[in-house]
Amino acid sequence: MARFVAHVPLRWTDQDAYRHVNHARAVTLLEEARIELVFERARTSGAGTFATGLLVAGLEVEYRRQIPYRAEPLRVAMWVRDVRAASFTIDYEMHDGPDDTDPVAVTARTHMALYDLAADRPRRLTAEERAFLGEWGES
């Protein structure tokens, strides 16, 4: 399966009183990685319409180990599954470090829904969006 990889930097304020990345900040780091995939990479691939309305409809996060603060970024690998008419799921593995050999510290999934913000209603995937998601889908 093809995986999109983003490297997200840690900030000093991402850590909590226990000196590891706070659980809520981990979700923010996943969001930053997702933005790189569905907004930045999609736009350069000709599927920039996600930016006009894409909502998180569900979120599931599993914390497998603590992530201490460090200057190097974290590796977030993502892939897409369950592509439907107006939704899809992104799976994540956040590594405790920048390399694929670093242990996985967080696994997560977000169920994404396409939405027409102007019309205030769900919308269907375009052919370009579907093709883009197919690049990062399960084999």
Side-chain angles (χ1 to χ4, degrees), residues 1 21 39 77 81 84 103 110 115 121 127-129 134:
M1 120 184 41
V21 174
F39 294 159
R81 64 180 170 89
R84 307 278 194 257
T110 50
Y115 203 77
R121 63 181 169 83
E128 294 81 13
E129 291 167 338

Side-chain angles (χ1 to χ4, degrees), residues 41-98:
R41 181 63 176 262
R43 182 183 49 77
T44 62
S45 296
T49 49
F50 288 122
T52 64
L54 184 62
L55 306 176
V56 174
L59 169 68
E60 183 180 334
V61 182
E62 298 171 16
Y63 302 96
R64 301 170 116 189
R65 63 183 292 139
Q66 295 180 11
I67 302 172
Y69 174 81
R70 84 278 302 245
E72 59 192 3
L74 301 179
R75 179 183 197 269
V76 180
M78 294 168 278
W79 61 98
V80 175
R81 64 180 170 89
D82 300 334
V83 177
R84 307 278 194 257
S87 67
F88 59 94
T89 299
I90 301 174
D91 285 329
Y92 308 79
E93 288 181 343
M94 181 185 293
H95 292 256
D96 185 8

